[in-house]
Amino acid sequence: MEKISLDNKTILVTGAAGFIGSNLVLRLFKEVNGATIIGIDNMNDYYDVRLKEYRLSVISTEAERSLDKLGMTNGNAWKFVKGDIANRDTIDGIFAEYHPHIVVNLAAQAGVRYSITNPDAYIQSNMIGFYNILEACRHNPVEHLVYASSSSVYGGNKKVPFSTDDRVDNPVSLYAATKKSNELFAHCYSKLYNIPTTGLRFFTVYGPAGRPDMAYFGFTNKLLKGETIQIFNYGNCRRDFTYVDDIVEGVIRVMQGAPERKNGEDGLPVPPYAVYNIGGGQPENLLDFVQILQEELVRAGVLPADFDFEAHKELVAMQPGDVPTTYADATALERDFGFVPKITLREGLRKFAEWYKEYYQ
């Protein structure tokens, strides 16, 4: 593994107004010195754009604080580009102007169910967009490309916990298929062009200012309106929930450790390529999750203490594209980077509930 310092580097984060991307940028401002951080996001309306604008405003505030605290010489510069990674000219222009040393590709059309009805968005962003990133890395001296894959690639895998050694040739959604294609594309470019790439298979990420299409966020919105929430597979679902701060900690550690460039016995480059699971390693039953969520929503004052939860819950069958269990075997990430998630589900949902109260009410 090649150690990389992030100080005084130019770092490109795609999907910078997204949930994980914005939290990553915030952490970089707090922990890195003298970096130029480039963010790109197309600001699409897959969910409320105001939430993305809110995240960007928080980043701008942190960027100003970084300059004030460290001084102009050691502070981090922030550049935001409103653009789409599926636009080749946009990506080539960013690389030509800023020459990023490290690229973190988090821009993607997310969501399993949306991919069933709107496949075009997934082909454009997740495949063409990622191809554009790879091509730009090919023609520029990039030290490390880190990119988002997904636990969805495991499909209906019945063996748990999910290991990166498992076969993942049978995706059950187009979203999963595009994420597996990212790993294949990355391996090819690592092999052909000696580009160090690391894919991270994210498991259900949650936290403040998250995606409204995620269950915990959607449940909260519906309960607040007095609507009924649907719990799929009659509650017999388990998810490996990972708090966003833990995810970002893992991403930053991985950014600083690129797969080593080296030659094999045949004298040809061995692909500097790696894929890791990044998850909590502790799957939670969906009914238990909902119970903790409702307790924390009451505690934060989002919902009244006498709210009748039982009257607002409905157990329903599994939806197409969903899987009953996600469970990360993240031992490789712990072995190579010392990464162990620390934030419990209750602690994380408490932070979400407190943020929700402040933001919406």
Side-chain angles (χ1 to χ4, degrees), residues 144-308:
H144 195 191
L145 166 62
V146 180
Y147 63 94
S149 186
S150 168
S151 62
S152 295
V153 301
Y154 290 108
N157 192 352
K158 292 181 172 57
K159 171 189 159 292
V160 292
F162 298 160
S163 167
T164 51
D165 294 329
D166 297 340
R167 289 182 66 88
V168 286
D169 300 330
N170 299 291
V172 296
S173 69
L174 180 65
Y175 170 67
T178 62
K179 286 301 183 180
K180 176 58 183 173
S181 79
N182 286 175
E183 296 178 5
L184 295 172
F185 284 13
H187 186 276
C188 179
Y189 272 71
S190 290
K191 174 65 176 175
L192 292 176
Y193 308 114
N194 218 18
I195 303 168
T197 68
T198 302
L200 294 173
R201 293 176 178 172
F202 292 126
F203 285 66
T204 312
V205 186
Y206 73 101
R211 281 181 18 223
D213 63 317
M214 298 293 284
Y216 69 100
F217 208 134
F219 285 172
T220 303
N221 289 338
K222 287 187 174 183
L223 291 171
L224 199 58
K225 296 175 185 174
E227 299 175 1
T228 300
I229 62 173
Q230 293 185 325
I231 301 175
F232 296 109
N233 203 30
Y234 308 104
N236 297 314
C237 280
R238 295 196 305 160
R239 290 288 179 269
D240 199 337
F241 295 100
T242 321
Y243 188 69
V244 65
D245 287 2
D246 280 333
I247 285 286
V248 168
E249 174 66 27
V251 172
I252 288 179
R253 291 189 185 202
V254 169
M255 288 168 67
Q256 298 174 81
E260 186 179 356
R261 292 182 173 106
K262 58 185 178 182
N263 291 333
E265 293 179 358
D266 57 3
L268 298 175
V270 175
Y273 167 90
V275 172
Y276 294 95
N277 286 334
I278 181 166
Q282 185 65 48
E284 305 279 354
N285 183 280
L286 195 53
L287 287 174
D288 295 337
F289 169 82
V290 171
Q291 179 67 33
I292 295 173
L293 175 64
Q294 67 189 35
E295 291 170 1
E296 293 305 325
L297 291 174
V298 168
R299 180 186 177 278
V302 176
L303 295 172
D306 61 352
F307 190 87
D308 186 356

Side-chain angles (χ1 to χ4, degrees), residues 83-91 123-125 128-130 132:
D84 199 318
I85 64 168
N87 185 309
R88 181 70 174 270
D89 290 341
T90 298
I91 294 302
I123 301 303
Q124 285 294 318
S125 183
I128 295 174
F130 188 59
N132 289 340

